[in-house]
Amino acid sequence: MYSFTNDYSEGAHPRILQAIMEANLVQNTGYSLDTHTSHAISLIRQEIRCETADVHIIPGGTQTNLIAISAALKPYQAVISASTGHINVHETGAIEATGHKVLAMDTPDGKLTPQLVRQALECHTDEHMVQPKMVYISNSTEVGTQYSKAELEALSHLCRLEGLWLFMDGARMGAALTSPVNDLTLADIARLTDLFYIGGTKNGALFGEALVILHEDLKPDFRFLIKQRGAMLAKGWLLGIQFEELFRDNLFYEMAGHANAMAETIRTALTDLGYAFASDSRTNQLFPIFSDDMIRELREHITFEMNRRIDETHCCIRLVTSWATTQEGVEELLRFVRAWPRPVPGTSTAP
Amino acid sequence: MYSFTNDYSEGAHPRILQAIMEANLVQNTGYSLDTHTSHAISLIRQEIRCETADVHIIPGGTQTNLIAISAALKPYQAVISASTGHINVHETGAIEATGHKVLAMDTPDGKLTPQLVRQALECHTDEHMVQPKMVYISNSTEVGTQYSKAELEALSHLCRLEGLWLFMDGARMGAALTSPVNDLTLADIARLTDLFYIGGTKNGALFGEALVILHEDLKPDFRFLIKQRGAMLAKGWLLGIQFEELFRDNLFYEMAGHANAMAETIRTALTDLGYAFASDSRTNQLFPIFSDDMIRELREHITFEMNRRIDETHCCIRLVTSWATTQEGVEELLRFVRAWPRPVPGTSTAP
Amino acid sequence: MYSFTNDYSEGAHPRILQAIMEANLVQNTGYSLDTHTSHAISLIRQEIRCETADVHIIPGGTQTNLIAISAALKPYQAVISASTGHINVHETGAIEATGHKVLAMDTPDGKLTPQLVRQALECHTDEHMVQPKMVYISNSTEVGTQYSKAELEALSHLCRLEGLWLFMDGARMGAALTSPVNDLTLADIARLTDLFYIGGTKNGALFGEALVILHEDLKPDFRFLIKQRGAMLAKGWLLGIQFEELFRDNLFYEMAGHANAMAETIRTALTDLGYAFASDSRTNQLFPIFSDDMIRELREHITFEMNRRIDETHCCIRLVTSWATTQEGVEELLRFVRAWPRPVPGTSTAP
Amino acid sequence: MYSFTNDYSEGAHPRILQAIMEANLVQNTGYSLDTHTSHAISLIRQEIRCETADVHIIPGGTQTNLIAISAALKPYQAVISASTGHINVHETGAIEATGHKVLAMDTPDGKLTPQLVRQALECHTDEHMVQPKMVYISNSTEVGTQYSKAELEALSHLCRLEGLWLFMDGARMGAALTSPVNDLTLADIARLTDLFYIGGTKNGALFGEALVILHEDLKPDFRFLIKQRGAMLAKGWLLGIQFEELFRDNLFYEMAGHANAMAETIRTALTDLGYAFASDSRTNQLFPIFSDDMIRELREHITFEMNRRIDETHCCIRLVTSWATTQEGVEELLRFVRAWPRPVPGTSTAP
């Protein structure tokens, strides 16, 4: 059965595997001190238009989040996140396990705003409460939305004014940057944040997230933190090779663009058929609202994740496309949907 | 200026100081292994009708919370709390500093219910999320409310069914148990919870909270945890002596009863004058809603803490009485209030 | 220049890469819940003769150590290690970062003995000290030595008697098990320890360590811990595929055997020439003692790591062979050594 | 039976209790923001000749150590300590529980030297190892010895050269400063260290340690850390009052001087009788070596702690005097010792 469960169901782009095979018997220096990694870092620095950035390629996203956040915060400091933020719900308390509170703010669309950040600041006034010191945002977000340049500039402005670190989780950075409604570049993000990462795992690498550190204060001794958290891969060149390929000839954008295009096909078809979505996503995660009957039947044709109940007879599901999603897979899904009775207008509206 | 800022503005009941003075030059065994502590423990066991309980007297409340919670939870487990819970807002992330997430649930009255606990359980379904394993409640709560026997029984029933530890923060246990609407005893609490503590600091001791451990699985090696967190007082008998006095001749209840009676006098007077309260408290913390003008003026007469803004022209303040609150202090407050123009009905309503 | 720096300078055995390529476009379930991983686990269970073992394949060694140790210990418990143990010196305090003390014992040969463990127990007598609760051993050790069956049985016996967890770090398990002086099997180790891991990274996998949990008390909820520490790989089947290959047709033993054979060639040649070693290793790490002059010159021919100074004119270096070490590489090293003046007997003796 | 078990067997100097009683019903600001604390702080600043020092009075010693150390270190940094250091052996892993490794160095006399510190630095060279960043010393030490001005200056010099924090645990600071061989003042210590504390608990206060922070970088937000670790006493003025008394009219020095004088009496008597000591202490802790027979009998007369076995028939015990030790207590001890057969010369020598 074709899977729309997530964007990490397949391995890596063949070019990436090919590069790994070619380097296989060459003796490399361990722990990311190899030439592939240096080259990947210089490609990334070029792409973000910042020659002074520190870049560390780390195997996984939860690792990257917990290392970046615990590196930047003092023991009594906290990180502000949307309540839907990955660090708040889907990392088994990894941030708290490093000793820090996540201050979760409810949002309508998975995005933090200056107003929400200010609200978090205002209710933390003295030493009996944690001190908010970092703003964590995901781009694209966990509900498929994304930040515009204006939104990111506003957040960045507030963070600098208030002395807050601005950290962008880019596990799905590719999807955000190749969305039809995007107006941000990696160079903008490097200019507006203090640190962020570029996700490989969910965009056609075997694994690997490139953490980019912009602010000088966050750079020293960072490799100690990576090692201590168990995230320094012995054969670190495997990470370097993958990011060399991702940032050579735009492979990174091509793969994300493909995932988005596949999602856009599905989104357009569902919209045309009258279906509503629980989230206004133009990236590779879609949250259509279907009736329980329809969902039950759909399970016989494709695999996907439940998201949440909308009303007594409807739920929202999550459909995820990837760099590897095939036209055939999409067709299979759409064939089913087109054959199913159209929704009665007004019955399946997003909240 | 008379202070209604909190219930720890004065020292200790004179009987307690007297007992400390009398023991001053006697050589005692250190680290709470002395005879005063043993005696205090046996008085507490008698009071809670449970001879097998382990009792540890710990200097402060935040310490007691962080030790009890981190002792009971495995690294990936979380504690459910009302969002107003002391551990969630007023302990500078002490629980997170031990590695555990606080799952904060919004409540209308500072109290958790079986429904809220179930809600927390339902959205934590697999290993990508923390595992809720403890329910933390305060009695009386941070907004002055308290649990009835029926409410505690319902929570206890659910916790046992779902394998959750039930922990009661009793920093203001005295106020809860001597409230006019209380129907719980310490023996009930010992029967219905897995661990709880009896607060001394906010009820006439210099300092000290007696942590009572009921569940066998939580008892072993507990002194290691107390020591590791820096909470094992060298001159531990100072804690023992204080709880000996508190539980000899009902001093514990007398002091809390006095605090409540003083609050009740204020509450009745304010109600009669037409003031509303942000919280339905029958304990020693009151949350009246006053106009901004009135609050500004009141500051010239007594000291107190702001709580929060209610509407554009009104705020809610917090008035706290204690074992030491004097009739004169209360009179000073009421004199001011009675002299102030009565509130226009409907203008200062609690949300 | 040929490198004897470590056993993770090359990628993976070609069979492993081939298997990864073949599975590349098949859609897999994420987070190690795929069929490759299940199959790898059943191969491992078969190999260790224990159908009830839990097996988790984790990307790296430091991760595996910190997860296993923090999973097994309560907050006040400590792990006993040789002072040369990897967790004590080469993991940037990863164990302490999870809150636990490493009790380091000096040893002549990198191996713990019942006597050393007893010594650690004897000086930890009450709640003012940590409670030793785990024994950590490496096999082969960080100095290339290994445990005999009798030694492991003695340790295991003591641990069971004293209620200590016995954990074997098997980052170089392959080297230990294929050493000419080995008399242990994986089945023995599964019988004698509570948990251990089988290293892939240092024996021909791209990455991956298979953690085997034998004791029932350590099994529950283990995936929560893996996720929380950031060690749950999204594309977990990459780990599964690698261990499928390692334990199909004895590839695991073949590769380790090759590494050992290459080391044995070097060891014999150096011994014949009169060189001494700082450690009595029969595995893939050798610690020959050379004069400073010789070391300076050798650096022009091969790469390796310095270990430590032996006397004013001699140091000990570390030479590591791997599954990929070539006959040519060994020849290059031996050519140099044979051409160098033989050591004057008695000048370069191990301490 | 008279106790020489420790220096915290009695309560507080009567002047301290008197001051607490007098303030008992005055309403104070909570959490150490009261006037007694301010006054105590200004007395301490005067005594240490440093008006810009930050001073925080914290209930206990383990708390003070864990807060100070975790405040100063980044997650991957470690603290160097003598292996006999309190933080290494007698705090149940409190430092490790905050995430930091204690690098324990063996010493002949409980004191760190520049050479030992350098040795610790030299074996920590890269990101695979913790980064030593603090030097922890106790004065007087756990074995009763103390630092001379020259020794402290040498350590301070090295620490500043190498960018290490120098932290002095002064749980027994009084004993050190009033020892007959002392040449340090609190002003010297304030000049030579980055932070240190002045112990109250072991020198006649009920409890309380005054942490003095000299280095600007360690000052910001310190109260957050105190609160988070549960060490911010609600009735903080109890700490303030005690240090007001300690540093008014030299009470602090008088009490410590008395303890030392009592120890000196015992030391001289034992030396005259031919007894050896395991440690060359001129402070209030003595470590005489007695035969097992003698120790068994002595237990019938006074209480004390065993220290360690010296040879097959001798052990070293610990005798501790305090501000409250009586002439009668000392006489009782000496009466017994004088009546016991003198040691045969050469049989009970310290190692």
Side-chain angles (χ1 to χ4, degrees):
Chain A
M1 236 178 335
Y2 203 79
S3 168
F4 289 94
T5 305
N6 56 49
D7 33 15
Y8 41 87
S9 292
E10 295 92 1
H13 191 280
R15 260 177 57 190
I16 288 175
L17 280 194
Q18 188 57 36
I20 288 174
M21 290 207 70
E22 279 163 18
N24 192 45
L25 292 179
V26 181
Q27 290 189 313
N28 275 296
T29 306
Y31 300 117
S32 296
L33 297 173
D34 62 282
T35 52
H36 292 289
T37 301
S38 312
H39 184 220
I41 290 173
S42 71
L43 290 174
I44 290 171
R45 282 180 178 151
Q46 209 172 304
E47 185 66 26
I48 65 172
R49 309 276 183 275
C50 179
E51 285 305 313
T52 60
D54 274 7
V55 181
H56 303 278
I57 318 182
I58 292 172
T62 296
Q63 276 180 332
T64 308
N65 283 333
L66 78 88
I67 291 169
I69 294 171
S70 68
L73 300 184
K74 291 178 182 156
Y76 53 90
Q77 294 178 333
V79 54
I80 303 170
S81 166
S83 57
T84 48
H86 204 260
I87 58 167
N88 192 48
V89 276
H90 276 100
E91 301 187 353
T92 321
I95 304 310
E96 290 84 357
T98 68
H100 301 283
K101 193 177 188 72
V102 177
L103 295 168
M105 308 301 291
D106 289 333
T107 72
D109 56 1
K111 297 198 285 185
L112 284 179
T113 61
Q115 193 191 353
L116 283 166
V117 171
R118 240 186 256 284
Q119 201 176 307
L121 294 182
E122 275 160 18
C123 61
H124 289 87
T125 53
D126 68 29
E127 68 263 26
H128 295 270
M129 288 165 265
V130 292
Q131 185 181 86
K133 184 66 184 176
M134 178 182 264
V135 170
Y136 165 93
I137 54 177
S138 314
N139 196 34
S140 61
T141 70
E142 294 75 8
V143 299
T145 55
Q146 66 196 100
Y147 287 85
S148 70
K149 194 190 287 194
E151 287 169 340
L152 188 61
E153 276 172 342
L155 269 177
S156 178
H157 179 75
L158 177 65
C159 286
R160 282 167 191 180
L161 201 71
E162 297 288 349
L164 302 171
W165 305 117
L166 181 54
F167 172 42
M168 183 184 281
D169 174 334
R172 291 196 174 92
M173 183 70 92
L177 296 183
T178 59
S179 158
V181 297
N182 174 62
D183 63 352
L184 277 170
T185 63
L186 280 180
D188 292 328
I189 290 166
R191 179 173 54 85
L192 296 169
T193 68
D194 296 299
L195 68 175
F196 71 95
Y197 75 87
I198 304 169
T201 304
K202 291 173 177 166
N203 191 26
L206 290 177
F207 53 89
E209 320 292 308
L211 177 64
V212 178
I213 307 183
L214 290 320
H215 198 291
E216 287 306 317
D217 293 357
L218 300 175
K219 293 177 181 176
D221 293 336
F222 207 86
R223 282 172 58 82
F224 284 81
L225 292 155
I226 295 174
K227 175 69 186 183
Q228 187 184 60
R229 301 303 186 179
M232 191 172 278
L233 204 65
K235 302 180 182 176
W237 68 85
L238 293 171
L239 295 160
I241 289 175
Q242 296 187 75
F243 276 83
E244 272 182 303
E245 288 307 314
L246 288 176
F247 284 95
R248 172 185 289 159
D249 305 333
N250 292 318
L251 181 60
F252 178 77
Y253 299 106
E254 270 171 37
M255 289 197 285
H258 173 81
N260 282 350
M262 293 292 102
E264 195 73 4
T265 303
I266 298 169
R267 197 187 65 83
T268 309
L270 291 178
T271 305
D272 289 352
L273 290 166
Y275 289 97
F277 292 83
S279 167
D280 186 21
S281 163
R282 301 299 295 273
T283 62
N284 71 323
Q285 296 185 90
L286 298 175
F287 297 84
I289 297 169
F290 291 159
S291 70
D292 294 344
D293 284 355
M294 181 176 176
I295 291 169
R296 204 173 311 114
E297 195 72 23
L298 183 57
R299 285 200 181 291
E300 307 294 317
H301 299 263
I302 62 164
T303 68
F304 54 88
E305 267 186 14
M306 289 304 296
N307 190 266
R308 61 193 161 92
R309 180 150 292 283
I310 296 297
D311 63 27
E312 275 179 32
T313 53
H314 293 81
C315 280
C316 137
I317 68 165
R318 187 178 77 148
L319 298 173
V320 193
T321 56
S322 84
W323 66 277
T325 299
T326 61
Q327 205 66 50
E328 293 69 38
V330 172
E331 264 319 300
E332 192 165 335
L333 163 61
L334 294 185
R335 214 163 27 239
F336 169 83
V337 176
R338 286 191 190 111
W340 192 263
R342 288 185 172 219
V344 183
T347 52
S348 60
T349 10
Chain B
M1 235 177 338
Y2 203 79
S3 168
F4 290 94
T5 305
N6 56 50
D7 33 17
Y8 41 87
S9 292
E10 295 92 0
H13 192 280
R15 261 176 56 189
I16 287 175
L17 279 194
Q18 190 55 36
I20 288 174
M21 291 208 70
E22 278 163 19
N24 193 44
L25 292 179
V26 182
Q27 290 189 314
N28 276 296
T29 306
Y31 300 117
S32 297
L33 297 174
D34 62 283
T35 52
H36 292 288
T37 301
S38 312
H39 184 219
I41 290 172
S42 71
L43 290 173
I44 289 170
R45 282 180 178 151
Q46 209 172 306
E47 187 65 28
I48 65 172
R49 308 277 182 276
C50 179
E51 285 306 313
T52 60
D54 274 7
V55 181
H56 303 278
I57 317 182
I58 293 172
T62 296
Q63 276 179 332
T64 308
N65 283 332
L66 78 87
I67 292 169
I69 294 171
S70 67
L73 300 184
K74 291 179 182 157
Y76 53 90
Q77 294 178 333
V79 53
I80 304 170
S81 165
S83 58
T84 48
H86 204 259
I87 57 166
N88 191 47
V89 277
H90 276 101
E91 300 187 353
T92 319
I95 304 310
E96 288 86 357
T98 68
H100 300 284
K101 193 177 188 72
V102 178
L103 295 169
M105 308 302 291
D106 289 333
T107 72
D109 57 2
K111 296 198 285 185
L112 284 180
T113 61
Q115 193 191 354
L116 284 165
V117 171
R118 240 186 257 281
Q119 201 176 308
L121 294 182
E122 274 159 17
C123 62
H124 289 87
T125 52
D126 66 30
E127 67 263 26
H128 296 269
M129 289 165 264
V130 290
Q131 184 180 88
K133 183 66 184 175
M134 179 183 263
V135 170
Y136 164 93
I137 54 176
S138 315
N139 196 32
S140 61
T141 71
E142 295 75 8
V143 298
T145 55
Q146 68 196 98
Y147 287 84
S148 69
K149 194 188 292 192
E151 288 168 340
L152 189 62
E153 277 172 343
L155 270 177
S156 178
H157 180 75
L158 177 64
C159 287
R160 282 167 191 180
L161 202 70
E162 297 287 350
L164 302 171
W165 304 117
L166 181 54
F167 172 41
M168 184 184 281
D169 174 334
R172 291 195 174 94
M173 183 71 91
L177 297 183
T178 59
S179 158
V181 297
N182 175 60
D183 64 352
L184 277 171
T185 64
L186 282 180
D188 293 329
I189 291 166
R191 180 173 52 86
L192 296 168
T193 67
D194 295 300
L195 67 175
F196 70 96
Y197 75 86
I198 305 169
T201 304
K202 290 173 178 166
N203 191 25
L206 290 176
F207 53 88
E209 320 291 309
L211 177 64
V212 179
I213 307 182
L214 289 321
H215 198 292
E216 287 305 317
D217 292 357
L218 300 175
K219 293 176 180 176
D221 293 336
F222 208 87
R223 283 172 58 83
F224 284 81
L225 292 155
I226 295 175
K227 175 69 187 183
Q228 186 185 61
R229 301 303 186 180
M232 190 172 280
L233 203 65
K235 301 180 183 176
W237 67 85
L238 294 170
L239 294 159
I241 290 175
Q242 296 186 75
F243 276 83
E244 272 184 302
E245 288 308 314
L246 289 175
F247 284 94
R248 171 185 289 159
D249 306 333
N250 292 318
L251 182 60
F252 178 77
Y253 298 106
E254 270 171 37
M255 289 198 286
H258 174 82
N260 281 350
M262 293 292 102
E264 195 72 4
T265 303
I266 298 168
R267 196 187 66 84
T268 310
L270 291 179
T271 305
D272 290 351
L273 289 166
Y275 289 97
F277 293 83
S279 166
D280 186 21
S281 164
R282 301 299 296 273
T283 62
N284 72 324
Q285 298 186 87
L286 298 175
F287 297 84
I289 298 169
F290 291 160
S291 71
D292 295 343
D293 285 354
M294 182 176 175
I295 291 170
R296 203 174 311 112
E297 195 70 26
L298 183 58
R299 285 200 180 293
E300 306 296 315
H301 299 264
I302 61 164
T303 66
F304 54 89
E305 268 186 14
M306 289 303 296
N307 190 266
R308 62 194 161 92
R309 180 150 294 283
I310 297 296
D311 63 29
E312 276 179 32
T313 53
H314 293 80
C315 280
C316 136
I317 68 166
R318 187 179 76 148
L319 298 173
V320 192
T321 56
S322 85
W323 66 278
T325 299
T326 62
Q327 204 66 50
E328 292 70 36
V330 172
E331 264 318 302
E332 194 165 334
L333 163 61
L334 294 186
R335 214 162 26 239
F336 169 84
V337 177
R338 289 192 188 110
W340 193 261
R342 289 185 171 218
V344 183
T347 52
S348 59
T349 12
Chain C
M1 235 175 341
Y2 204 79
S3 170
F4 289 94
T5 305
N6 55 49
D7 33 16
Y8 41 88
S9 292
E10 295 92 0
H13 192 280
R15 261 176 56 189
I16 287 176
L17 279 194
Q18 189 56 36
I20 288 175
M21 291 207 70
E22 279 162 18
N24 192 45
L25 292 179
V26 181
Q27 291 189 314
N28 276 296
T29 306
Y31 300 117
S32 297
L33 298 173
D34 62 283
T35 51
H36 291 289
T37 301
S38 312
H39 183 219
I41 290 173
S42 71
L43 290 173
I44 290 171
R45 283 180 179 152
Q46 211 171 304
E47 186 66 27
I48 65 171
R49 309 278 183 274
C50 179
E51 285 306 312
T52 60
D54 274 7
V55 181
H56 303 277
I57 317 180
I58 292 173
T62 296
Q63 276 179 332
T64 308
N65 282 333
L66 78 87
I67 292 169
I69 293 171
S70 67
L73 299 185
K74 291 178 183 157
Y76 53 90
Q77 295 178 333
V79 54
I80 304 169
S81 165
S83 58
T84 47
H86 205 259
I87 58 166
N88 191 47
V89 276
H90 276 100
E91 301 187 353
T92 320
I95 304 310
E96 290 85 357
T98 69
H100 300 283
K101 193 177 187 73
V102 178
L103 295 168
M105 308 302 290
D106 289 333
T107 72
D109 56 2
K111 297 198 283 184
L112 285 180
T113 61
Q115 192 191 355
L116 284 165
V117 171
R118 240 186 257 282
Q119 201 175 308
L121 294 182
E122 274 160 18
C123 62
H124 289 87
T125 52
D126 67 29
E127 66 263 25
H128 296 268
M129 289 166 264
V130 292
Q131 184 179 88
K133 184 66 183 175
M134 179 182 262
V135 169
Y136 164 93
I137 54 177
S138 315
N139 196 33
S140 63
T141 71
E142 296 74 9
V143 299
T145 54
Q146 67 197 101
Y147 286 86
S148 70
K149 195 189 289 194
E151 287 168 341
L152 189 61
E153 276 172 344
L155 269 176
S156 179
H157 179 75
L158 178 65
C159 287
R160 283 169 191 177
L161 201 71
E162 296 288 350
L164 303 171
W165 304 117
L166 181 54
F167 171 42
M168 184 185 281
D169 174 334
R172 291 196 173 93
M173 183 71 90
L177 297 184
T178 58
S179 159
V181 297
N182 174 61
D183 63 352
L184 277 171
T185 63
L186 282 179
D188 292 329
I189 291 167
R191 178 173 55 85
L192 295 170
T193 69
D194 296 300
L195 67 176
F196 71 95
Y197 75 87
I198 304 169
T201 304
K202 291 173 177 165
N203 191 25
L206 290 177
F207 53 89
E209 319 293 308
L211 177 64
V212 179
I213 308 182
L214 289 321
H215 198 291
E216 287 306 317
D217 292 356
L218 300 175
K219 293 177 179 175
D221 293 336
F222 208 86
R223 282 172 58 83
F224 284 81
L225 292 155
I226 295 175
K227 175 69 187 183
Q228 186 185 61
R229 302 302 186 180
M232 191 173 279
L233 202 66
K235 302 179 183 177
W237 68 85
L238 293 170
L239 295 159
I241 289 174
Q242 296 186 77
F243 276 82
E244 271 183 304
E245 289 307 314
L246 289 175
F247 285 94
R248 171 184 291 158
D249 305 332
N250 292 318
L251 181 60
F252 177 78
Y253 298 106
E254 271 171 36
M255 289 198 285
H258 174 83
N260 282 350
M262 294 291 102
E264 195 72 4
T265 302
I266 298 168
R267 197 186 66 85
T268 309
L270 291 178
T271 305
D272 289 353
L273 290 165
Y275 288 98
F277 294 83
S279 168
D280 187 21
S281 163
R282 301 299 295 273
T283 62
N284 72 324
Q285 298 186 89
L286 298 174
F287 298 83
I289 298 169
F290 291 160
S291 71
D292 295 344
D293 285 354
M294 181 176 177
I295 291 171
R296 202 173 311 112
E297 194 73 23
L298 182 58
R299 285 201 181 292
E300 306 295 316
H301 299 263
I302 61 163
T303 68
F304 54 88
E305 267 185 15
M306 290 303 295
N307 189 266
R308 60 194 162 94
R309 180 151 293 283
I310 296 296
D311 63 28
E312 276 178 33
T313 52
H314 293 81
C315 280
C316 137
I317 69 166
R318 187 180 76 149
L319 298 172
V320 193
T321 56
S322 84
W323 65 278
T325 299
T326 61
Q327 204 65 51
E328 292 70 36
V330 173
E331 264 318 301
E332 192 166 336
L333 163 61
L334 294 186
R335 215 165 22 240
F336 168 84
V337 177
R338 288 192 188 111
W340 193 261
R342 288 186 172 217
V344 182
T347 52
S348 60
T349 11
Chain D
M1 238 180 329
Y2 203 80
S3 169
F4 290 94
T5 306
N6 56 50
D7 33 17
Y8 41 86
S9 292
E10 295 92 1
H13 192 280
R15 261 177 56 190
I16 287 175
L17 279 194
Q18 189 55 37
I20 288 174
M21 290 207 71
E22 279 163 19
N24 192 45
L25 292 178
V26 181
Q27 291 189 313
N28 276 296
T29 306
Y31 300 117
S32 297
L33 298 173
D34 62 283
T35 51
H36 292 289
T37 302
S38 312
H39 184 220
I41 290 173
S42 71
L43 290 173
I44 290 170
R45 283 180 177 151
Q46 210 173 304
E47 186 66 27
I48 66 172
R49 309 277 183 273
C50 180
E51 285 305 313
T52 59
D54 274 7
V55 181
H56 303 277
I57 318 182
I58 292 172
T62 296
Q63 276 180 331
T64 308
N65 282 333
L66 77 89
I67 292 169
I69 294 170
S70 67
L73 299 184
K74 291 177 183 158
Y76 53 90
Q77 294 177 334
V79 54
I80 304 170
S81 165
S83 58
T84 48
H86 205 258
I87 57 166
N88 191 47
V89 276
H90 276 101
E91 301 188 353
T92 319
I95 304 311
E96 289 85 356
T98 70
H100 300 284
K101 193 177 188 71
V102 178
L103 295 168
M105 309 301 290
D106 289 333
T107 72
D109 57 1
K111 297 198 284 184
L112 285 179
T113 61
Q115 192 192 354
L116 283 165
V117 172
R118 240 186 257 282
Q119 201 177 308
L121 294 181
E122 274 159 19
C123 61
H124 289 88
T125 52
D126 67 30
E127 67 264 26
H128 295 269
M129 288 164 265
V130 291
Q131 185 179 89
K133 183 66 184 174
M134 179 182 264
V135 170
Y136 164 93
I137 54 177
S138 315
N139 197 33
S140 61
T141 70
E142 295 74 9
V143 298
T145 55
Q146 67 195 100
Y147 286 85
S148 70
K149 194 189 290 193
E151 288 168 340
L152 189 61
E153 277 172 343
L155 269 178
S156 178
H157 179 75
L158 177 65
C159 287
R160 282 168 191 177
L161 202 71
E162 297 287 351
L164 302 172
W165 304 117
L166 181 55
F167 171 42
M168 183 184 282
D169 174 333
R172 292 197 173 92
M173 183 71 91
L177 297 183
T178 59
S179 157
V181 298
N182 175 61
D183 64 352
L184 277 170
T185 64
L186 281 179
D188 293 328
I189 291 167
R191 178 172 55 84
L192 296 169
T193 69
D194 296 299
L195 68 174
F196 70 95
Y197 75 86
I198 305 170
T201 304
K202 290 173 177 164
N203 191 25
L206 290 177
F207 53 89
E209 319 293 308
L211 177 65
V212 178
I213 308 182
L214 289 322
H215 198 292
E216 287 306 316
D217 292 357
L218 300 175
K219 293 178 179 175
D221 293 337
F222 208 86
R223 283 172 57 82
F224 284 81
L225 292 155
I226 296 175
K227 175 70 186 182
Q228 185 184 62
R229 301 303 185 179
M232 191 171 279
L233 203 65
K235 301 180 183 176
W237 68 85
L238 293 171
L239 295 160
I241 289 175
Q242 295 187 76
F243 276 83
E244 272 183 303
E245 288 307 313
L246 288 176
F247 284 94
R248 172 184 289 158
D249 305 333
N250 292 318
L251 182 60
F252 178 78
Y253 299 106
E254 270 171 36
M255 290 197 286
H258 173 83
N260 282 351
M262 293 292 102
E264 196 72 4
T265 303
I266 298 167
R267 196 186 67 84
T268 310
L270 291 178
T271 305
D272 289 352
L273 289 166
Y275 289 97
F277 293 83
S279 167
D280 187 21
S281 163
R282 301 298 296 271
T283 62
N284 71 324
Q285 298 186 88
L286 298 175
F287 298 83
I289 299 169
F290 291 159
S291 70
D292 295 343
D293 285 354
M294 181 176 176
I295 291 170
R296 203 173 311 114
E297 194 73 23
L298 184 56
R299 285 201 181 293
E300 307 295 316
H301 299 262
I302 61 164
T303 67
F304 54 88
E305 268 186 13
M306 288 305 295
N307 190 266
R308 61 194 161 93
R309 181 151 292 283
I310 297 296
D311 63 28
E312 275 179 33
T313 53
H314 292 81
C315 280
C316 137
I317 69 166
R318 186 179 77 149
L319 297 173
V320 193
T321 56
S322 85
W323 65 278
T325 299
T326 61
Q327 205 66 51
E328 292 71 35
V330 172
E331 265 318 302
E332 193 165 335
L333 163 61
L334 295 186
R335 217 168 15 245
F336 169 83
V337 176
R338 287 189 190 114
W340 192 262
R342 289 187 171 216
V344 182
T347 53
S348 60
T349 10

